[in-house]
């Protein structure tokens, strides 16, 4: 199952609409903020989006907490100069409430470039966790 995110074009000079850093229109507190505050992400895509928002906010504690214990690093140093500018979900495979694994392919843009990754997720004690990723071309 693949999905592409779509974005409506904004007129030049128009204010950016309020919404979550992950690109969804809901306010941060109603979107990724609730996961950062402790709620479990219901899907692999929701976890992917919340992890992106955590990178935007330099929330290393959340990133480590949602990393699979088998692959989690001891610590995470986030580049203080990285300015994340957008997330595009390119494809989602599995990762729903009915699955134990899933993949999310995305492009995360930052000032000066972008990161294209296919992330793998697994459930750990019922909660989604980021396992690892590869960089497709």
């Amino acid at each position: 199952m693949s999905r592409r995110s779509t974005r409506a074009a904004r007129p030049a000079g128009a204010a950016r609409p309020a919404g979550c850093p992950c690109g969804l229109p809901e306010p941060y507190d109603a979107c990724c903020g609730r996961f950062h505050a402790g709620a479990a992400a219901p899907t692999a895509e929701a976890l992917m989006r919340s992890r992106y928002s955590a990178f935007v906010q330099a929330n290393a504690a959340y990133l480590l907490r949602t990393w699979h214990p088998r692959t989690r690093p001891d610590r995470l140093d986030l580049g203080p100069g990285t300015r994340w500018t957008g997330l595009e979900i390119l494809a989602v495979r599995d990762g729903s409430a009915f699955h134990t694994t899933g993949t999310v392919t995305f492009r995360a843009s930052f000032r000066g470039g972008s990161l294209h990754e296919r992330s793998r997720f697994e459930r750990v004690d019922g909660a989604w966790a980021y396992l690892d990723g590869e960089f497709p071309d």
Side-chain angles (χ1 to χ4, degrees), residues 3 6 11 15 28 38 42 45 56 60 97 109 119-121:
R3 287 187 271 171
T6 58
Y28 166 77
E45 180 181 350
V56 170
S109 299
S119 295
R120 293 189 315 150
F121 297 87

Side-chain angles (χ1 to χ4, degrees), residues 94-136:
D94 300 333
S96 76
F98 304 105
H99 299 105
T100 57
T101 63
T103 61
V104 179
T105 305
F106 67 92
R107 181 172 294 108
S109 299
F110 55 89
R111 185 177 287 164
S114 67
L115 169 72
H116 182 197
E117 182 176 322
R118 181 179 306 115
S119 295
R120 293 189 315 150
F121 297 87
E122 281 186 7
R123 287 189 183 269
V124 175
D125 297 327
W128 285 107
Y130 169 76
L131 181 62
D132 60 18
E134 61 184 24
F135 305 101

Side-chain angles (χ1 to χ4, degrees), residues 73-111:
D74 292 332
R75 57 180 258 226
L76 187 59
D77 294 320
L78 301 175
T82 304
R83 181 163 183 259
W84 296 98
T85 58
L87 176 66
E88 181 182 9
I89 302 297
L90 303 173
V92 176
R93 183 168 183 203
D94 300 333
S96 76
F98 304 105
H99 299 105
T100 57
T101 63
T103 61
V104 179
T105 305
F106 67 92
R107 181 172 294 108
S109 299
F110 55 89
R111 185 177 287 164

Side-chain angles (χ1 to χ4, degrees), residues 47-70:
L47 182 62
M48 171 62 238
R49 288 180 175 279
S50 69
R51 287 177 57 84
Y52 171 82
S53 291
F55 273 103
V56 170
Q57 297 181 341
N59 185 345
Y62 179 77
L63 293 166
L64 289 169
R65 186 171 77 241
T66 58
W67 211 307
H68 198 290
R70 276 196 331 260

